[in-house]
Amino acid sequence: MENLAPNNKIYKTILPAILTFIACLILITLLQDYLLVVGPVVLITIIIGYFIALRSFNQNSNAFYDTNFLYLIDKWGTHKINLSEISSITTTPTSIKIMGFLLYSYTIYYNEDGNSLNSYSFKVSHSNSNIKMFEKHLSQYHPSIRIDSF
C-alpha cells in the first residue's frame, strides 16, 4: 500500500495551533492596558485552540491505496473504497504555506453505496510523488475518472 497523505493529520493540526498563537498575540496587543484581563483571555483562547486542534486531528483520516482500492483510515476504522467508484480528483489552485512548505488542497470525490457522492480532502505538496503515481494508476486502469491537477 502507498500512502497518499503522509502528513495530513500533522498539517491539519498545526494550522489551528498557528492560528491560536496569532490570536493570542493579537489579544495581548489589544489588551495590553488591561493586565488583569489579558491572562484569562489568553488562557481561554489557548484552551479553545487546543480543542479545535485535537478535534481536527481526530476527525481526519489517512489515505492509502493499492491496485484496486483506496483506504481511508481514521479513528472509526478503515473505509475501503473501490478505485472504480472514484468519480473525480481535483487540486485547488490556492495554496497554503506551512513551515516553508507550499501545500495545495487535494480532493477525491467518490460514490458510496452507489448513490451518495462523498469526498476526502487533504493537503499535498509538489514533492509528494505518490500523488503522481496514484493519478497515473487511475488514468491507466480507470480512464473515465476526471483528474484536474496542478
Side-chain angles (χ1 to χ4, degrees):
M1 282 197 305
E2 297 292 330
N3 193 348
L4 281 178
N7 299 317
N8 185 43
K9 286 189 170 196
I10 293 170
Y11 290 148
K12 290 196 174 187
T13 304
I14 287 175
L15 191 58
I18 290 171
L19 292 176
T20 300
F21 179 73
I22 292 170
C24 288
L25 291 178
I26 291 170
L27 288 172
I28 290 170
T29 303
L30 291 175
L31 299 173
Q32 66 185 355
D33 294 336
Y34 306 100
L35 293 178
L36 293 175
V37 179
V38 171
V41 170
V42 169
L43 182 63
I44 290 170
T45 304
I46 291 171
I47 291 170
I48 291 171
Y50 170 77
F51 283 115
I52 290 172
L54 184 65
R55 181 175 176 226
S56 177
F57 183 82
N58 286 335
Q59 287 185 345
N60 289 299
S61 29
N62 286 327
F64 299 89
Y65 77 96
D66 60 16
T67 55
N68 296 316
F69 293 98
L70 173 69
Y71 303 93
L72 302 178
I73 301 170
D74 57 18
K75 72 176 186 176
W76 296 285
T78 301
H79 307 283
K80 190 175 177 181
I81 301 161
N82 195 326
L83 292 181
S84 63
E85 293 177 357
I86 295 175
S87 59
S88 66
I89 296 172
T90 59
T91 305
T92 60
T94 58
S95 60
I96 302 172
K97 198 170 197 176
I98 297 178
M99 294 174 23
F101 296 102
L102 196 58
L103 302 172
Y104 299 90
S105 182
Y106 194 83
T107 306
I108 300 172
Y109 296 95
Y110 60 94
N111 294 317
E112 191 171 52
D113 302 328
N115 294 332
S116 63
L117 183 67
N118 289 335
S119 66
Y120 170 70
S121 296
F122 58 95
K123 302 295 181 205
V124 63
S125 67
H126 282 295
S127 63
N128 189 343
S129 62
N130 289 344
I131 294 296
K132 295 297 178 193
M133 291 183 346
F134 178 65
E135 289 176 353
K136 184 178 178 182
H137 176 72
L138 282 178
S139 64
Q140 286 177 350
Y141 295 102
H142 305 287
S144 63
I145 297 172
R146 191 181 93 233
I147 300 174
D148 299 328
S149 76
F150 52 88

